[in-house]
Amino acid sequence: MRNALAGLSLVALIAAIGCVRPPQPEVEEPVLRNVIIVLVDTLRADHMSTYGYDRRTSPAIDRFADGAVVFEHARSQAACTFPSVNSLLTSRYPDVFARQGERQFGIPAEYPAIAEILDDRGYYTVAVSQSPVVRNKPSKHNPNGGFGRGFDRFVEGCVWRRHGACLNRKIFRELELIERPFFLYLHYMEPHAPYTHPPDYPLKFTGEYDGFDFIRDGKPKPIGNMIYDDGPVYDITDRDIQHLVDLYDDEIRYFDAVFNRLVKRLEKRGLHEETMIVFASDHGEEFLEHGHITHCRGVWNTVTHVPLMIKIPGVAGRRIGTAVENLDIVPTILDYLAIDDEEFGLEGKSLRPLIDGREEPTLFAFAKQTEYRSVDNGRFHLILDAKNDRFTLFDSGTDPLEQHDLFDPAHPELGPLKTALDGWLEMTGRRLSLRQSLAADKAKEEELRALGYIE
């Protein structure tokens, strides 16, 4: 019996020794040190395979999205670069920018932008922009610049040299010099019109075309001149518009490759896992879905439903269907950086509670452009034509291109949406009445037209 117990004790001892693990190296938690905003001008969400488009326009972005938080119903606050980018960078609704002085399109000094906030806290801040509007120095389309405040460096060398490879070269050079922690704002111009591509880029979606030369060259501006400025009349067919769409989709596919090279460079430099990357757009593009061409007119999904993806170190990828705004980007960044945003008077809200799954509130997203004001709840989109005092209501779930007006005073979704829109108009109206807001918007539209930015 004693021998049996002794044997059992020996077995137990061996088992116990076998269960002792050698010291394990500590696993470092991902640390968020840097922030990059990748702003892709004129990119509508519904033309990305990431958002369900039937053409595979964004395979590299799709892979990025797998590890990011993808917001399926993000809305820009305007359908034009000015003032959409102003709103994004300051978390302020656009009405405050339209009332600036003549030929002023930058960010007024009284509204702190994300670059200033981070610069004041020791971040190295750099912007690399192709945009003729989002500039530090004056340009033809922005005579007074005004976007450089808070940036240690503002690089503009690729303006209107529209292929993203040019911007990447500038960015890669900055990455060699950059100090940590850093904030990087990157503004790419694909797929803004004209829809062109490098000569050696193999087109995937665009086929032969034997129509108008300007359409073959990806230039929708003559259509805009015909619609808005009594320009020459053209017999534009569905085939003509489809060719423009094909070229636009090829521009997205080209940018996808450019973005892939950017991500690879960040990975090579060991920055990918310590950097929050925000992928966003300022607005979309119209192809006559509502009688308009390009952008800067209206607030339909075609021009304000934009991609928004955020890759956050240590946060698993997921998709969120709640309505959110570009206005929410800055508060979200500051939340993850543990920076109290109370003193800045931001009008957006941090998306961190949504990302962490701590709450699923009913959120509303707002937009404005020219005479239009709108609110959506992630499914239904209510649009007010303030000039004609007329409402339209669309179900984006079944009618994403918003071709079928469902407005009916008895519609069950109308009450909450109209209450939210009225509240927003009242809030923004404390700064500027609706009548004054319409006049200010019209004046800025005329200035942009005079500068050749819109038709």
Side-chain angles (χ1 to χ4, degrees):
M1 183 71 172
R2 182 181 298 173
N3 288 341
L5 289 174
L8 181 61
S9 299
L10 181 60
V11 170
L13 178 62
I14 292 171
I17 292 172
C19 288
V20 176
R21 299 177 63 192
Q24 299 293 308
E26 290 188 11
V27 178
E28 290 189 11
E29 289 292 319
V31 177
L32 173 56
R33 293 189 174 91
N34 318 300
V35 177
I36 299 175
I37 295 178
V38 179
L39 194 290
V40 188
D41 208 299
T42 320
L43 179 59
R44 54 189 270 184
D46 67 339
H47 275 246
M48 301 175 66
S49 47
T50 312
Y51 284 82
Y53 193 39
D54 57 4
R55 285 177 164 176
R56 198 157 182 254
T57 52
S58 50
I61 299 170
D62 296 352
R63 292 192 294 273
F64 171 81
D66 288 340
V69 181
V70 178
F71 294 91
E72 296 177 335
H73 296 288
R75 195 165 295 278
S76 62
Q77 275 47 78
C80 208
T81 299
F82 167 84
S84 179
V85 171
N86 308 55
S87 288
L88 186 156
L89 294 177
T90 63
S91 190
R92 298 273 181 164
Y93 285 110
D95 59 288
V96 298
F97 305 111
R99 57 180 176 165
Q100 294 186 81
E102 187 176 354
R103 297 164 70 88
Q104 298 288 338
F105 299 102
I107 297 174
E110 61 264 37
Y111 303 118
I114 181 66
E116 293 176 277
I117 295 170
L118 296 184
D119 183 60
D120 288 344
R121 284 153 182 80
Y123 283 75
Y124 187 70
T125 55
V126 179
V128 190
S129 175
Q130 280 180 298
S131 172
V133 173
V134 182
R135 293 177 55 86
N136 180 32
K137 298 175 183 176
S139 72
K140 174 185 175 183
H141 299 301
N142 181 357
N144 291 286
F147 284 90
R149 203 170 60 252
F151 285 105
D152 294 307
R153 287 177 54 76
F154 202 110
V155 181
E156 304 175 315
C158 289
V159 173
W160 279 136
R161 290 176 59 189
R162 292 211 25 274
H163 304 312
C166 174
L167 199 73
N168 268 2
R169 287 193 293 272
K170 301 286 184 183
I171 294 165
F172 296 165
R173 195 171 303 133
E174 293 301 316
L175 288 175
E176 297 295 326
L177 308 171
I178 209 159
E179 303 168 15
R180 303 183 201 185
F182 64 78
F183 168 67
L184 194 55
Y185 173 78
L186 312 177
H187 193 128
Y188 291 88
M189 284 302 288
E190 283 93 8
H192 193 288
Y195 316 123
T196 60
H197 54 277
D200 59 347
Y201 175 72
L203 296 177
K204 186 172 181 64
F205 309 114
T206 307
E208 294 295 322
Y209 173 77
D210 60 359
F212 299 106
D213 289 345
F214 65 84
I215 288 179
R216 182 183 298 106
D217 295 338
K219 297 177 179 178
K221 189 171 183 177
I223 300 176
N225 291 337
M226 176 180 70
I227 296 172
Y228 310 117
D229 293 331
D230 296 323
V233 175
Y234 302 97
D235 182 16
I236 301 298
T237 67
D238 290 346
R239 178 68 191 95
D240 299 322
I241 295 301
Q242 185 58 52
H243 188 73
L244 290 177
V245 170
D246 294 345
L247 290 168
Y248 176 82
D249 288 348
D250 264 316
E251 279 230 75
I252 297 173
R253 182 67 182 236
Y254 168 72
F255 170 76
D256 184 76
V258 169
F259 179 73
N260 188 50
R261 287 192 286 274
L262 171 66
V263 171
K264 295 296 184 187
R265 181 59 63 99
L266 294 173
E267 290 173 346
K268 182 178 180 181
R269 293 191 56 80
L271 298 172
H272 194 253
E273 293 306 320
E274 60 180 31
T275 302
M276 173 190 282
I277 303 175
V278 179
F279 183 104
S281 179
D282 52 348
H283 56 77
E285 190 84 324
E286 270 270 308
F287 292 100
L288 298 185
E289 292 92 341
H290 303 93
H292 295 282
I293 197 75
T294 67
H295 48 274
C296 293
R297 303 171 190 276
V299 291
W300 304 280
N301 281 344
T302 48
V303 283
T304 60
H305 176 211
V306 290
L308 177 58
M309 294 168 256
I310 307 179
K311 189 199 78 65
I312 307 161
V315 176
R318 58 177 298 205
R319 285 180 174 260
I320 294 176
T322 306
V324 300
E325 303 177 303
N326 276 355
L327 224 66
D328 301 328
I329 291 172
V330 167
T332 303
I333 291 171
L334 297 182
D335 193 349
Y336 276 99
L337 295 177
I339 297 173
D340 186 356
D341 66 9
E342 258 189 54
E343 65 182 283
F344 307 120
L346 308 182
E347 294 180 333
K349 60 188 73 65
S350 172
L351 299 176
R352 188 170 186 174
L354 277 176
I355 294 169
D356 292 348
R358 288 186 274 123
E359 63 178 60
E360 288 282 349
T362 300
L363 298 179
F364 297 100
F366 303 95
K368 61 169 279 188
Q369 190 68 51
T370 57
E371 65 264 35
Y372 298 100
R373 307 289 184 270
S374 82
V375 58
D376 83 273
N377 61 9
R379 173 68 183 269
F380 289 90
H381 190 196
L382 179 66
I383 300 175
L384 167 64
D385 176 347
K387 184 177 178 181
N388 297 300
D389 195 26
R390 177 177 177 268
F391 285 99
T392 49
L393 177 67
F394 300 100
D395 181 346
S396 297
T398 60
D399 179 25
L401 293 180
E402 300 180 325
Q403 300 295 295
H404 307 289
D405 179 17
L406 301 178
F407 183 79
D408 181 331
H411 195 288
E413 297 289 340
L414 181 62
L417 286 168
K418 192 171 185 307
T419 298
L421 183 60
D422 288 343
W424 180 64
L425 291 173
E426 181 182 354
M427 182 196 77
T428 55
R430 292 171 194 155
R431 297 184 290 242
L432 212 60
S433 72
L434 185 56
R435 181 182 59 80
Q436 292 171 317
S437 177
L438 290 171
D441 289 349
K442 184 66 175 176
K444 283 300 178 189
E445 181 185 329
E446 292 301 327
E447 288 177 36
L448 287 169
R449 183 177 291 108
L451 293 168
Y453 186 71
I454 64 173
E455 290 79 28

